[in-house]
Amino acid sequence: MSKKRVLVTGGSGGIGAQIVQQLSEAGYLVDFTYYRSKEQAEAIVSKLRFGGELQPSIHQCDLSDLGAVETLCEQLSELEYYGFVHAAGISSDAIVPSIKLDIAQQTMAVNFWAYILICKQLIRKMSRSKDGRIVAISSIAAHRGNRGNAVYAASKAAIEAFNRAFVQEYASRGVSINTVAPGFVNTKMISDLKGLGDQLSKVVPAKRSAEPPEIGELIVYLLSEKAQYMNGEVIRLDGGLSSSMGLTI
């Protein structure tokens, strides 16, 4: 029985690399995109579990360049994917008067438009096979306002709105489409922020950030047969942050 093929964007990042690893351990053939470091991407491939003639493929792609994304889609057209996980994402921090249009457009391209273009490419074969899984990584920023986070939050909210409509078109064709909205995740980007641990203990009921394997386990489940009927959901994995009023008493 051949392995099911899955594509992960942002597969060399902190969360993305963990998702790639855990999907591989779960028995999927995992292809992924990376932005800069080919050496890092190749190091990730060397740790993956695969056998037989099928080999995972890695694709260097600047997802902020939609022309490059279209070229990537042409390459993907030669393969048949069971699953797609959009884990790529970039932040954009500026209060509204300081927003720079080029940076905002770059953020929307990576976080949202690249996702749409790849979905357009992959959904046809998923629909024909009546079996597919799509998961987009959003953020709790789409649900909780934060100063200087407007563009990033808008890019993630756009994914969630898109998926709600997307599900209406393809749920009847056996394709499951869901969104995961993490809160703070213990990656290098977060760990480099001094004093964040003290802040988390005040605002996150769980008193800590999520670990990347916790995100990966949820993704593995959403791609499994057990999650076939789960469709159109936004799953918040944030240690209770979104349910909190943000008050300490």
Side-chain angles (χ1 to χ4, degrees):
M1 183 176 178
S2 61
K3 288 188 175 185
K4 292 181 176 180
R5 188 181 290 268
V6 175
L7 174 70
V8 178
T9 57
S12 62
I15 296 175
Q18 187 67 45
I19 291 171
V20 168
Q21 178 182 330
Q22 288 179 249
L23 286 174
S24 178
E25 291 172 351
Y28 296 99
L29 181 65
V30 187
D31 299 345
F32 65 91
T33 71
Y34 68 96
Y35 177 29
R36 288 192 179 95
S37 177
K38 184 177 181 180
E39 292 76 14
Q40 185 176 353
E42 290 176 341
I44 293 170
V45 169
S46 69
K47 299 177 182 178
L48 300 184
R49 298 179 182 178
F50 53 89
E53 297 181 359
L54 292 176
Q55 303 290 322
S57 60
I58 58 176
H59 304 270
Q60 191 284 325
C61 186
D62 177 1
L63 297 181
S64 70
D65 180 351
L66 297 183
V69 177
E70 290 179 338
T71 299
L72 170 66
C73 288
E74 292 175 5
Q75 298 169 356
L76 299 178
S77 67
E78 301 175 3
L79 300 168
E80 185 165 342
Y81 286 92
Y82 162 78
F84 169 40
V85 181
H86 187 55
I90 59 174
S91 62
S92 177
D93 298 319
I95 61 173
V96 172
S98 301
I99 290 174
K100 295 182 178 179
L101 183 58
D102 58 338
I103 295 176
Q105 289 175 328
Q106 183 181 49
T107 302
M108 290 297 296
V110 174
N111 296 359
F112 180 59
W113 288 113
Y115 173 65
I116 290 181
L117 291 176
I118 296 172
C119 284
K120 281 182 60 180
Q121 179 59 53
L122 302 185
I123 193 61
R124 292 183 178 89
K125 290 185 179 179
M126 288 184 184
S127 177
R128 284 198 293 267
S129 67
K130 294 188 176 182
D131 191 21
R133 300 286 186 274
I134 297 175
V135 181
I137 304 297
S138 178
S139 169
I140 198 62
H143 304 265
R144 293 286 298 268
N146 189 43
R147 177 182 170 87
N149 219 201
V151 171
Y152 176 74
S155 72
K156 294 300 188 178
I159 285 178
E160 296 184 10
F162 175 83
N163 276 357
R164 282 193 289 272
F166 196 15
V167 166
Q168 310 310 310
E169 299 173 5
Y170 287 98
S172 64
R173 302 293 296 176
V175 181
S176 176
I177 303 162
N178 292 289
T179 310
V180 174
F184 295 100
V185 182
N186 186 21
T187 60
K188 186 178 184 302
M189 181 177 68
I190 294 298
S191 63
D192 285 345
L193 298 176
K194 296 181 180 180
L196 181 62
D198 293 336
Q199 294 181 46
L200 291 179
S201 68
K202 295 178 181 178
V203 300
V204 179
K207 306 298 183 185
R208 67 175 179 88
S209 58
E211 296 296 330
E214 293 177 300
I215 309 297
E217 284 295 332
L218 179 55
I219 300 300
V220 170
Y221 170 72
L222 289 173
L223 264 67
S224 72
E225 293 297 325
K226 296 178 181 178
Q228 184 175 18
Y229 197 65
M230 180 172 285
N231 221 332
E233 297 295 333
V234 177
I235 304 170
R236 302 179 189 180
L237 196 63
D238 63 4
L241 177 60
S242 58
S243 65
S244 170
M245 293 178 66
L247 302 176
T248 55
I249 299 175

